[in-house]
Amino acid sequence: MTDQLQRDINRGKQAEILLQNELVQEAFKALEDEYFKLWQATKPLDTDVRESLWHSYRTVGEVKTHLHRLVDSGTMAQLELDARK
């Protein structure tokens, strides 16, 4: 169990570093902006293209959410490990 907690802590720290990295933040913003701009520029009848762009836009957010969950899991694991000491 301690190995799993340590793994969660390490992964949380790595995710936090990624989320704080300026280049990663820039990449997320650039992708979100580009996908959204392209989505807005499509014609309403181009449903396949619009749907694809919308999914791409949402996927960027899902990646960020996943990284934030890893950070939260790492924080919780650290609290649990500290409580055992």
Side-chain angles (χ1 to χ4, degrees):
M1 182 65 154
T2 303
D3 289 342
Q4 181 61 44
L5 291 174
Q6 194 59 53
R7 180 180 176 271
D8 289 348
I9 292 166
N10 292 338
R11 289 169 51 91
K13 288 178 182 177
Q14 290 173 26
E16 188 169 23
I17 289 168
L18 287 173
L19 286 167
Q20 292 175 354
N21 183 288
E22 188 176 321
L23 290 175
V24 173
Q25 290 175 9
E26 209 174 282
F28 284 143
K29 174 107 174 77
L31 288 170
E32 285 175 327
D33 289 350
E34 184 67 14
Y35 289 139
F36 192 75
K37 183 174 77 173
L38 290 170
W39 175 80
Q40 283 183 313
T42 58
K43 295 178 182 169
L45 296 177
D46 291 338
T47 54
D48 290 342
V49 174
R50 287 177 63 82
E51 189 170 323
S52 177
L53 288 167
W54 185 250
H55 285 293
S56 296
Y57 173 81
R58 296 281 300 143
T59 298
V60 176
E62 289 172 11
V63 171
K64 287 194 293 187
T65 298
H66 179 73
L67 291 171
H68 282 288
R69 284 185 185 137
L70 289 173
V71 172
D72 292 345
S73 293
T75 301
M76 296 304 293
Q78 185 65 61
L79 289 172
E80 186 174 337
L81 197 60
D82 291 346
R84 291 181 181 187
K85 293 181 181 179

